[in-house]
Amino acid sequence: QVQLVESGGGLVQAGGSLRLSCAASGSIFSINTMGWYRQTPGKQRELVATITSGGSANYLDSVKGRFTVSRDNAKNTVSLQMISLKPEDTAVYYCNARIKTTWDEREYPYWGQGTQVTVSS
């Protein structure tokens, strides 16, 4: 079974930086789009950044210019470099990947468990 494991969350002061990483493992045949979503209490999960298998990225407007998403196809990893963090960036961040497994060629979304990012002022 496919698993996504996230790391890099934590507490940071406003204006600081964090780098989130996510590694996919298991019976993976291919990975299409990967990305990051975030959620705060009382709000729906929102897309933060996505990146296609070819490296084309898309971002939430409020993070453009501050966040950079990247991936390493050889390692099945996706990262989110976050700079100039603001208190409103505080949320649980979830890794997402659309994956075809070796035993089922249909593409399914997989999710990590989430990692807390807290930005203090």
Side-chain angles (χ1 to χ4, degrees), residues 2 27-30 99-106 108 110:
V2 172
S27 302
I28 298 170
F29 177 77
S30 64
I99 296 171
K100 293 180 179 179
T101 65
T102 56
W103 52 270
D104 188 349
E105 294 292 344
R106 292 174 294 181
Y108 295 95
Y110 291 85

Side-chain angles (χ1 to χ4, degrees), residues 68-88:
T68 302
V69 64
S70 61
R71 64 189 288 168
D72 186 332
N73 292 335
K75 297 181 179 180
N76 292 334
T77 59
V78 61
S79 298
L80 186 68
Q81 180 67 53
M82 304 183 292
I83 65 171
S84 301
L85 282 162
K86 304 174 180 180
E88 52 262 44

Side-chain angles (χ1 to χ4, degrees), residues 41-54:
K43 291 186 62 179
Q44 289 189 331
R45 191 171 299 183
E46 66 180 350
L47 186 151
V48 178
T50 60
I51 183 167
T52 68
S53 60

Side-chain angles (χ1 to χ4, degrees), residues 48 58-67:
V48 178
N58 186 49
Y59 297 93
L60 179 69
D61 283 346
S62 62
V63 309
K64 287 181 179 178
R66 300 188 298 117
F67 291 10

